Amino acid sequence: MLKHTAIVGTQWGDEGKGKIVDHLAKKFGVVVRYQGGPNAGHTVVVGKEKFALHLIPSGILQSDKMCVIGDGVLLHPETLVGELTDLHKRVGKLARLVVGLKTQLIMPWHIALDGIAGGKVGTTKRGIGPAYADATARRGIRVMEALDKKRFSVRVKEEAAWNKKMIGVYEKHFGVKPKERKDYGLIGVTDATKIIREYRRYFSQLKRFGVGFADTSETLTKAEKRGQRILFEGAQATLLDITHGDYPFVTSSHPTVGGLFIGTGFRPRELSVIGVAKAYSTRVGNGPFPSELTNKIGEGMRERGHEYGTTTGRPRRCGWLDLVIIRYAARINGLDEIAMTKLDVLTGLKTLKVCVGYRLGGRKITEYPADVTVLERCRPVYRTLRGWNEDISKVRRFSELPRAAREYVQFVEKACGLPVKLVGVGPGRQEIVTR
Ligand code: IMP
C-alpha cells in the first residue's frame, strides 16, 4: 500500500512548513494544498533566491511534480497569476499545476468585508472569513463557474448586488467614514462589469500558464493508481483551526489533518502525519499566548528568526516552546512524528525554558483547554534547559549537534512521546538535520 504524508502546523502557523514540504517533496509525485488561501505564506529558500508562496504548493519548484490546489482552498486568481508570473521569470521549468473545479473564489467584496470586520481577530485581511462564510451560506462563486462565461457573469452580478447592501450594513455598524472608504478598499468592489472583465483576464492568464482545472478527487485517485505518492501541505496550523483552535482567534478553515479529506475529496489509504513545530513559539494576530515573551529574549527571537509575517509583514509575537500545545496537536492530528524547525534561532541563549504545563488558580493543567477564556487565565509552568553557543547551521547529523541542543530535542520527544526526525538548523534548503 502506498504511504502518503500530511504536513501540518502544530502551533499558530509560520512553523516553516514550506521548507519541510520542499525537503520531502522529492519522494512524492504530487503536492497538494487542501485548505486556506492567500493568508498563508510559505517561504522556500533555494541558494540565494527566496520564494514566498501564498497559494501555490511548495512543490512547484520541482518540475517533475504535479501540484494541486484542492477544492477546500480559497482561490484569489489575481494572487495566483502574480505568483506564477514571478516564478516563471525566476525559475526555468515549474511543476504542473492543477486547480480544483469546486474551489471557491475570493471576490473583491470578501476582502473589503474582512478589512472592515477582521480587526478583533487580527486577520490577514485577505477575505478568508467572508469567503468561507459565503461558501457555507451557499452564496459562493466557484472555479467551475468562472470557467463558464455566461454563468460567471450572472453570478457576479447577483453577488455584487447583494454585497453592495452588505457593505452598507458593515460600514454603518463599524462606523466607516466616507473618507476612509479608500483605505478599506471599498471603491469599486461591487462593480460587476469591472470584476467580470478582470477575473476573465486572470483565468485566461492562468490557462496561458498551462494551469489545469479538474475534479481534484479524481486527479488524486488517478495519481494514486499510477503509483504516485501524495504529499498534503497544510497551511496555517492546529491552533488556528476553526473548530479545534482557540476560537474565535482562528482562521476559517481546517488546517488540522481532517481538513484534507474534505479539501480534496480523497481518502488516503495509508497516511503518515508529520507535525511541524518551531523550536519556540510565535503568533501573529490576536488571541491568547501563555508562553509569550514581551521582553528582550522575545525581541531577540524575532530578529534572529526574522519573525515578520510573510503575508502581511506584521511583527510576530514570540515566546518559549509550549509542549502543552504540541501534545494537543499530536492528539488532534494523530501525529506520527515531529519536524522541528529553526533550532538555530535559539543559539546563544544561556538557558532555555520550555512550557510543560499551565497553572490555573491553584491547579496544574497539562491538557490544552477547550475554552479560550480558560486559556487566557492560564500561566505557564516552565522547565529550564541548558542552552548552547556553537553555530549549528553547518551540522547535518544529529550526533554532531552540541549536547545541549540534542538534549533540547530529546526533551521534546520524551514529553510528546513522538520522534523528532527532522531538525531545521537554518533557512536554506540544505540546512536540515535528518535522523
Ligand atoms: P485569516 O486567516 O486571515 O482570517 O486570519 C485569522 C487568524 O489566523 C489571524 O490571527 C491571522 O494572523 C492568522 N493566520 C492566518 N494565516 C496565517 C498564516 O499563514 N500564518 C500565521 N497566522 C495566520
Side-chain angles (χ1 to χ4, degrees):
M1 190 65 73
L2 276 180
K3 196 148 187 181
H4 308 298
T5 296
I7 307 284
V8 296
T10 57
Q11 297 153 313
W12 287 287
D14 311 313
E15 293 94 352
K17 296 180 288 294
K19 175 179 163 138
I20 302 296
V21 171
D22 182 62
H23 175 79
L24 294 175
K26 47 186 175 294
K27 298 185 191 147
F28 295 82
V30 188
V31 185
V32 187
R33 271 278 307 267
Y34 58 87
Q35 46 69 231
N39 49 346
H42 291 170
T43 310
V44 184
V45 180
V46 184
K48 287 206 172 80
E49 298 262 348
K50 192 170 166 184
F51 299 90
L53 304 169
H54 298 285
L55 262 174
I56 302 180
S58 305
I60 195 76
L61 300 170
Q62 300 178 29
S63 62
D64 56 334
K65 310 259 166 290
M66 173 163 65
C67 284
V68 175
I69 294 183
D71 301 304
V73 175
L74 292 176
L75 185 77
H76 185 238
E78 185 183 353
T79 302
L80 185 56
V81 166
E83 270 176 37
L84 283 171
T85 308
D86 180 51
L87 283 167
H88 276 286
K89 257 190 231 149
R90 296 164 64 195
V91 187
K93 202 164 176 305
L94 299 175
R96 194 165 107 71
L97 181 63
V98 176
V99 177
L101 286 168
K102 301 175 200 161
T103 305
Q104 299 270 343
L105 295 178
I106 296 181
M107 303 301 293
W109 46 81
H110 295 137
I111 298 169
L113 293 171
D114 198 12
I116 300 176
K120 184 182 160 215
V121 172
T123 69
T124 60
K125 300 192 177 170
R126 295 300 186 272
I128 305 298
Y132 277 123
D134 267 359
T136 309
R138 293 160 291 196
R139 307 204 65 97
I141 304 179
R142 305 199 282 178
V143 162
M144 66 175 85
E145 287 166 305
L147 295 171
D148 177 332
K149 274 190 179 171
K150 259 202 194 140
R151 227 168 128 191
F152 187 61
S153 148
V154 172
R155 291 291 293 118
V156 172
K157 282 178 191 157
E158 279 172 2
E159 292 309 316
W162 166 262
N163 280 283
K164 200 170 179 174
K165 289 186 195 145
M166 286 309 292
I167 286 173
V169 173
Y170 270 55
E171 283 188 282
K172 211 164 164 194
H173 180 79
F174 289 93
V176 175
K177 304 202 174 59
K179 65 172 185 341
E180 291 170 337
R181 296 200 87 229
K182 197 162 161 261
D183 309 335
Y184 279 99
L186 288 166
I187 297 160
V189 289
T190 53
D191 181 342
T193 315
K194 185 169 152 252
I195 294 168
I196 293 165
R197 198 174 53 232
E198 279 178 2
Y199 274 60
R200 275 195 192 141
R201 204 181 67 230
Y202 298 139
F203 273 87
S204 307
Q205 280 173 299
L206 292 179
K207 284 182 192 159
R208 272 204 300 279
F209 278 134
V211 174
F213 298 95
D215 182 330
T216 59
S217 167
E218 212 180 315
T219 307
L220 297 181
T221 306
K222 281 185 180 158
E224 184 179 59
K225 283 202 176 123
R226 280 197 303 273
Q228 288 185 304
R229 291 177 70 201
I230 304 168
L231 184 62
F232 298 90
E233 176 180 6
Q236 289 85 43
T238 303
L239 295 184
L240 293 175
D241 186 282
I242 184 80
T243 303
H244 300 291
D246 15 85
Y247 192 89
F249 302 103
V250 292
T251 190
S252 300
S253 67
H254 294 290
T256 48
V257 73
L260 81 82
F261 298 90
I262 300 297
T264 61
F266 176 74
R267 190 280 234 194
R269 298 282 138 186
E270 289 263 341
L271 183 71
S272 145
V273 188
I274 303 178
V276 184
K278 185 146 52 181
Y280 50 100
S281 307
T282 61
R283 174 165 208 166
V284 261
N286 302 327
F289 185 169
S291 66
E292 182 169 12
L293 290 166
T294 49
N295 57 13
K296 284 236 150 55
I297 303 178
E299 280 164 31
M301 288 173 178
R302 184 175 310 121
E303 291 319 310
R304 285 194 305 279
H306 309 289
E307 297 294 355
Y308 295 88
T310 317
T311 304
T312 58
R314 290 181 288 178
R316 295 177 185 143
R317 299 155 66 193
C318 296
W320 296 118
L321 180 64
D322 184 338
L323 293 180
V324 182
I325 287 172
I326 311 296
R327 282 198 308 264
Y328 176 69
R331 166 153 58 83
I332 293 284
N333 298 292
L335 296 184
D336 295 302
E337 59 181 271
I338 292 173
M340 185 186 278
T341 53
K342 299 183 108 168
L343 187 64
D344 55 299
V345 174
L346 298 180
T347 299
L349 289 169
K350 226 180 184 153
T351 53
L352 302 169
K353 285 187 181 170
V354 178
C355 175
V356 290
Y358 302 140
R359 202 167 297 287
L360 179 67
R363 278 187 305 141
K364 191 176 167 198
I365 292 182
T366 50
E367 295 294 331
Y368 198 69
D371 184 344
V372 80
T373 61
V374 174
L375 185 65
E376 275 161 353
R377 286 183 283 123
C378 284
R379 298 289 162 261
V381 175
Y382 289 120
R383 272 286 295 274
T384 303
L385 303 178
R386 288 190 309 140
W388 60 92
N389 257 323
E390 302 88 326
D391 173 13
I392 58 171
S393 63
K394 308 271 180 313
V395 176
R396 298 292 172 266
R397 277 204 208 133
F398 190 72
S399 58
E400 287 162 14
L401 281 172
R403 187 164 165 196
R406 275 184 280 136
E407 282 170 359
Y408 189 80
V409 175
Q410 283 158 345
F411 186 83
V412 173
E413 287 186 311
K414 201 160 171 226
C416 301
L418 288 170
V420 175
K421 291 201 180 162
L422 295 173
V423 182
V425 290
R429 206 178 211 177
Q430 313 301 335
E431 288 167 332
I432 200 158
V433 170
T434 46
R435 296 171 81 188

